[in-house]
Amino acid sequence: MRASATNALLDEQKLDFFRFSGYGRWPGKSPDMNPAESVGAIMQERVERALLDVDPTDIDRELLVETTTQVLEDLKTDRNLFKNLLHSFRHR
């Protein structure tokens, strides 16, 4: 509901944040627009990759929490990843 209201407001004010896309047209699920969304996608991919060799019937909440925690710990020290994301954000 909020997206509709936001788009209506943009239309009324004739604000166009995205050239060539028309008034109030936001790109759907565009991770390149937000570094936080990119980190979320990277996290998901790394958790999935870590669980590839595990039998799906063995995956429970505890294993998922443990794997996600390990991925977050690894991401915490990945300075190059965050540096690249922040640098790329300025160019968008």
Side-chain angles (χ1 to χ4, degrees):
M1 298 302 267
R2 290 182 182 168
S4 296
T6 301
N7 284 334
L9 179 64
L10 290 172
D11 284 341
E12 288 171 16
Q13 300 299 316
K14 305 256 189 267
L15 295 174
D16 187 8
F17 288 103
F18 303 100
R19 195 181 333 171
F20 308 118
S21 62
Y23 297 117
R25 299 196 188 220
W26 296 80
K29 289 206 162 211
S30 183
D32 62 333
M33 296 301 293
N34 184 342
E37 290 177 15
S38 296
V39 171
I42 290 166
M43 234 181 80
Q44 179 180 354
E45 188 272 329
R46 290 185 183 186
V47 168
E48 289 173 352
R49 188 177 346 134
L51 295 174
L52 275 178
D53 296 331
V54 177
D55 184 340
T57 60
D58 293 337
I59 298 176
D60 59 2
R61 184 178 191 281
E62 185 179 330
L63 178 60
L64 190 56
V65 168
E66 183 181 307
T67 304
T68 303
T69 301
Q70 184 58 52
V71 166
L72 284 170
E73 285 296 319
D74 294 344
L75 280 175
K76 238 171 41 173
T77 58
D78 195 345
R79 290 176 164 253
N80 286 331
L81 170 69
F82 291 102
K83 184 177 175 182
N84 290 337
L85 285 173
L86 289 174
H87 285 298
S88 69
F89 187 68
R90 286 192 279 171
H91 301 299
R92 295 183 192 141

